Amino acid sequence: MFGSQSRQLKADIVDKARTARAERAMNKNHSAAITKVQSLCRRYLYIENLRKEVRSSIDEFTEKVAQPTAIEIFDKMRWLLFIFQRNADNTRLEKLCHRILSNMTVNDSPKLWYVTLAISNQYLASWLYQVKKLLHICCEQLAIIQINKKNELEAMQLYLTMLVTFSGTTSWKLMNSKVLANKNFRPVLEQICKQILLNLTNNDFFTNIKNFLWNNTRSGELKLSKISLSGIIVIIRRAFDTCSKNSKSLKQFMESIMAYPALLYHVKKLSPESLTEFRESHVLEIVLDEYVDGNKMSMLTTSLGGFYTFSLLGNLIQLSQYSDKSIVMYLLNYCHDQNSVKNSNATVHHPLFGWCSKSLATQFQDSVPLIGQQFQYLWSPTAVQLFFTDVFEKSDEVPSEAVALKKTNESSKKKKGLFGRVFSKSQIKGFILPSTKVKTDSELIKRVCSTCAMYNTALGTLPEMRTDILTEPLWKFIYILYQEEGPQIFHENGPSLSDAISLTTLFCNCCCHLITIVDDIEMYQENKPFTLDELVKMATLLNYMVFHAVWKLDVFTSSKATGAKHSYEYKQMINAGHMLLMVLYDRNCRRSFTPENHWIIKELNYSEFTAAINEGANRSYVLLRKIAHVIPREKRVDLFRKLVADDKKSLGIFANSSTGRPSYTYITINRNRLLEDGYEQLTQLPAEAIKRTIKVQFVNEQGLHEAGIDESGVFKEFLEETIKKAFDPGLNLFKVTCGDEPRLYPSPTSYIHDNHLSLFEFVGRMLGKAIYEGLVMEVPLALFFLNNVLGGQHSAFYSCIDELPSLDPELYKNLNYVKNYEDDVEDLGLTFSFDEDVLGKIVTHDLKYGGQTIPVTNENKLSYIHLMAHFRLRKQLKKQTAAFIKGFHSVITPQWLQVFSGPEFQLLIAGENTSISILDLKKHTKYLGGYHSKHRVIQWLWDVLKNDFKEEERCKFLKFVTSCSKPPLQGFSNLQPPFTIRYVETENEDGEGEDSCESVAWSKTILLSWLRYDNSTCATSKWSLQYSHIDNNHHWEAVVDAFAVDDPSLGAHLVTDIMVNGSPFTPSDT
């Protein structure tokens, strides 16, 4: 019990002692805190009093002392820097700086010069410390100044003058005074300046300058005077010279100065001599030496990001004057990797890179066009002159700038080699003829080809600037190599191929865009940029090059399948060559400039090709997809028909089948509602049912079913009449182009029909069905619409401007006016947009991303012209065309038509525009019911068609029996259904028998009733046809009056009764 009380007492005592110690510690800390607070308060009050005294002293000094000595200023500046506060002391700092600078201009007064203290052992250390701190404050002040007020402009000029004055000894009067006459202080003073600059670079000098530049940039333009910008360049150059061996400072220089958007563009514009001084600092050489290591360059680009790397590249290009290509290629590749992606909902459009994954910040957008102008230095005449001096023909005059740069540029020195030999020769008709054998292992050609590799990288990175590169000299050089080395230069795996790749790839990439923007007048009349003879040679070379790569080398088949490996660069060359080849081929299809059968490759064995197709060889399908034009058109048509036949066979559709009966689809069509009934009954059918046989039952005007059996002829009539009505411009689904040859194209205002897109899909299905069945439809479609339906892989380079006159001559005239406008196009007030009147409301369409805000200038007017044409011919009709193509492709597989050009596609639809061969029609005519080719009536028929009918009358005859005035493609052997004449016995009015000839063309039943004459002179009569409607069964009578030449009194005549299940002919049809 007592033990427990003792322990409790002991615990209480310990707790009291602990509490007492805690209280004493707290009191001690409290006292210490009070003391510290009092100390801080006294310090604060002291400093504030000191600041007041110092400020008062400085204010009194600057007001009363008219011309203080350097030591007096030094003392006041030391106190000011000690108590300096940015907002409170800016004015005092500026006043003291003014005193310093004004004293520095006084002649023969060393005591007034602030820099005199630098040669005093007593003041040197403290003076140097003060100058370093003073200039650092000047840099910080400069970084936050925005030149929008007068006082800020004066402050900027003051701080800038301080930095320029004390970062170098150039303006120091002390350097030429008697004080230093017998003393060797000059190196010491220069070393002091280097220490000052080194201190600045170690304290964010370049970052402060960058901030200053950004603060004074408005709408992409640097709002500085020539003097101010020159001063900035002077101190930047001095700082760079000082820190060029310091990797950390050099990196800051690259990130802050060289990556500033279009800095050197502004320098050249405002102060060209400053750019020259900047180059004399060997900035580029030092940068190349530092970043020759790929790891350092990779770290730099990663730190900068896409846009600043882009800006860095622009400045380096302008600075370098094209002397080095490796760093340019690296940075271009980095920009490409960072920005180039396919167009999608998640991408945004960049003015130079095209579609990018990240949007461009607002503050950067105005700088992009200026950086683009820097990139244009790569393909300016000066740059091309430097890179391809020996490729150009020798001229009497070489640009003086190019000569000066060439002297200072080791990479562009004159060398004896391939180009020197090749181009010292005469010129005939625009071609340079070689005087000696070309050797492709020259070092010079490798240098030029490496330049081409750089240009290729630029093209891939900057897709929006592809049209700016000169190409004609490259073509001349390529053609010389081709002549000397032969076609194998593009196909052998050796030094020749590696050297030719970059050159050929660059040329093809450039020409794809150059030829696209050239209109027909320039190309065919003015021979720009190449003569037609050159274009023919170019097409020959490219046609063979691509054919050899596709068929012989099989480069587009995986290496695992072929065992052959082809480099990425070689495939790039073939792809570029293929694009240019298809541009030329498309141009030739619109307006031919090549001889007949120029595109066909005779080396291609068609039997071998057919065997490859049957074996499923990949190269055969690649050839069809990429260069089907090397195969004769007749063979391609046969291939198309074979593909259709194979498709029918797979669906169980047979023309004559004893093994099975194909399934039919039956439809009932009212003649007054052909299009409506067809649309309602056929739209819902699946594509496979459309391909199968469709039986038609017509209902006449009285609502009665018409008699007859549909053996494909009635459906053909229905198809013809439906297509005819759908393509009738009066329905406003299609419109007619202007020009000499009216053509049909989708109407932009077809939306007046609620279901217009469904109607387009239906019409596409019906036209596809006609082609699928081999029926000829006289539907003249516009070439640009046909090309849209074909949708070839080279369509990105198809120029719409040449097709525009047939659609909108007035717009074409206006666009030509813009193109040839000699003054500033901006005066016209145009933008990249198009205003359309939609039912009384003006709707504005952007021709390109952000087009309403992009003015049309002399630099971009070509782009505007082509985008406007593209809008009118493609974009404006996009929905209608897409619906038509959807229906068409549901019947005709798109790959089947890739083997045809636009004009060839039209021939497949409407037949061949050639004279009608009666012999060919006679050869492929079938006879039924007892008629044969030797029958007198049949002989009369062919004799009349051959000898008495003119070509126009033959066309009318053919249109009557086949619904098309043109023969089918590749002759009447391909007429579907075939032309057939059947014998029918009839009676005349006197009950006498008549020979009658029934021509069964499946859509029309023609009864030719021939009266029996003894006089054979009827066969040599002159015929005239008159068609008249005689009853409601759509029977027509063709009365052929025959007047005998030998016996006019005979009065014989031949009556032809024609029963037509098709549409009536009007007098205009005959």
Side-chain angles (χ1 to χ4, degrees), residues 438-537:
V438 176
K439 302 297 182 182
T440 54
D441 58 352
S442 167
E443 289 297 324
L444 187 54
I445 189 174
K446 293 180 179 179
R447 176 173 66 81
V448 173
C449 290
S450 68
T451 302
C452 293
M454 178 198 69
Y455 279 125
N456 285 325
T457 308
L459 289 176
T461 305
L462 307 170
E464 301 297 315
M465 300 181 70
R466 289 176 174 172
T467 60
D468 298 317
I469 297 183
L470 187 64
T471 57
E472 185 176 2
L474 296 181
W475 158 244
K476 292 180 179 180
F477 180 66
I478 289 172
Y479 190 70
I480 289 171
L481 291 180
Y482 179 76
Q483 284 183 313
E484 294 292 341
E485 292 292 327
Q488 66 273 12
I489 188 175
F490 300 111
H491 310 306
E492 293 182 346
N493 292 322
S496 300
L497 176 62
S498 62
D499 288 335
I501 283 178
S502 296
L503 190 65
T504 307
T505 306
L506 172 64
F507 169 76
C508 293
N509 279 328
C510 295
C511 272
C512 280
H513 298 270
L514 183 60
I515 293 179
T516 299
I517 66 174
V518 174
D519 59 40
D520 281 356
I521 294 177
E522 293 171 324
M523 182 170 175
Y524 292 94
Q525 297 180 19
E526 299 176 2
N527 285 329
K528 294 180 180 179
F530 304 99
T531 66
L532 295 182
D533 189 33
E534 287 175 320
L535 291 175
V536 171
K537 290 180 171 65

Side-chain angles (χ1 to χ4, degrees), residues 116 119-121 174-189:
T116 305
I119 62 175
S120 170
N121 291 332
L174 179 64
M175 302 297 290
N176 299 318
S177 70
K178 298 179 181 179
V179 177
L180 298 181
N182 299 320
K183 297 182 181 180
N184 193 21
F185 281 136
R186 188 178 300 273
V188 176
L189 294 177

Side-chain angles (χ1 to χ4, degrees), residues 671 674 698 706 713-714 716-718 720-721 724 960 963 1002-1005 1029 1033-1036 1058-1065:
R671 284 195 176 272
L674 276 171
F698 276 121
E706 294 183 358
V714 181
K716 180 172 186 267
E717 178 193 352
F718 159 74
E720 291 168 351
E721 294 304 314
K724 181 179 179 181
F960 184 75
S963 298
W1002 297 99
S1003 64
K1004 296 176 174 61
T1005 302
H1029 186 209
N1033 290 325
H1034 293 270
H1035 288 224
W1036 292 74
I1058 303 177
M1059 177 183 295
V1060 181
N1061 292 327
S1063 61
F1065 280 121

Side-chain angles (χ1 to χ4, degrees), residues 769-865:
K769 174 66 172 176
I771 295 175
Y772 189 80
E773 297 296 341
L775 305 179
V776 179
M777 298 290 154
E778 201 161 3
V779 179
L781 297 178
L783 183 59
F784 67 85
F785 178 59
L786 290 169
N787 280 295
N788 273 341
V789 176
L790 290 175
Q793 68 273 15
H794 50 278
S795 59
F797 299 101
Y798 183 80
S799 174
C800 295
I801 190 66
D802 298 322
E803 301 290 346
L804 187 60
S806 64
L807 176 67
D808 194 338
E810 188 65 25
L811 178 60
Y812 180 77
K813 179 181 177 181
N814 293 337
L815 292 178
N816 267 338
Y817 175 78
V818 173
K819 179 180 179 180
N820 300 313
Y821 192 70
E822 296 180 356
D823 297 327
D824 191 353
V825 175
E826 287 192 74
D827 296 341
L828 303 178
L830 301 173
T831 62
F832 277 77
S833 59
F834 175 73
D835 293 334
E836 181 185 16
D837 187 350
V838 179
L839 300 177
K841 181 180 179 181
I842 301 299
V843 177
T844 301
H845 306 276
D846 282 345
L847 300 181
K848 64 190 299 186
Y849 181 79
Q852 296 182 54
T853 62
I854 302 175
V856 178
T857 65
N858 290 334
E859 290 75 21
N860 62 22
K861 63 182 179 182
L862 284 179
S863 176
Y864 167 77
I865 291 169

Side-chain angles (χ1 to χ4, degrees), residues 113 130 1015 1051:
W113 299 335
Q130 184 179 108
N1015 194 327

Side-chain angles (χ1 to χ4, degrees), residues 649-819:
K649 185 176 180 180
S650 67
L651 296 174
I653 305 173
F654 307 97
N656 294 295
S657 175
S658 60
T659 59
R661 181 175 180 81
S663 60
Y664 300 135
T665 298
Y666 292 91
I667 59 174
T668 302
I669 303 296
N670 191 312
R671 284 195 176 272
N672 294 328
R673 289 174 47 84
L674 276 171
L675 183 61
E676 294 85 348
D677 287 353
Y679 170 76
E680 291 174 359
Q681 298 181 53
L682 296 179
T683 299
Q684 304 303 323
L685 294 180
E688 183 176 325
I690 295 293
K691 292 182 179 181
R692 293 182 181 276
T693 304
I694 298 175
K695 298 285 188 178
V696 177
Q697 174 65 64
F698 276 121
V699 177
N700 62 20
E701 296 176 355
Q702 287 75 32
L704 302 176
H705 286 192
E706 294 183 358
I709 300 174
D710 185 2
E711 293 295 337
S712 296
V714 181
F715 173 72
K716 180 172 186 267
E717 178 193 352
F718 159 74
L719 199 59
E720 291 168 351
E721 294 304 314
T722 300
I723 290 177
K724 181 179 179 181
K725 187 171 183 180
F727 281 95
D728 184 357
L731 189 62
N732 199 36
L733 279 180
F734 289 84
K735 294 183 70 174
V736 179
T737 63
C738 303
D740 298 334
E741 297 183 8
R743 300 281 178 170
L744 294 164
Y745 71 99
S747 171
T749 57
S750 63
Y751 51 78
I752 63 174
H753 301 282
D754 293 336
N755 59 340
H756 72 118
L757 296 182
S758 298
L759 282 172
F760 273 110
E761 185 176 349
F762 170 70
V763 174
R765 272 190 165 197
M766 293 299 97
L767 188 61
K769 174 66 172 176
I771 295 175
Y772 189 80
E773 297 296 341
L775 305 179
V776 179
M777 298 290 154
E778 201 161 3
V779 179
L781 297 178
L783 183 59
F784 67 85
F785 178 59
L786 290 169
N787 280 295
N788 273 341
V789 176
L790 290 175
Q793 68 273 15
H794 50 278
S795 59
F797 299 101
Y798 183 80
S799 174
C800 295
I801 190 66
D802 298 322
E803 301 290 346
L804 187 60
S806 64
L807 176 67
D808 194 338
E810 188 65 25
L811 178 60
Y812 180 77
K813 179 181 177 181
N814 293 337
L815 292 178
N816 267 338
Y817 175 78
V818 173
K819 179 180 179 180

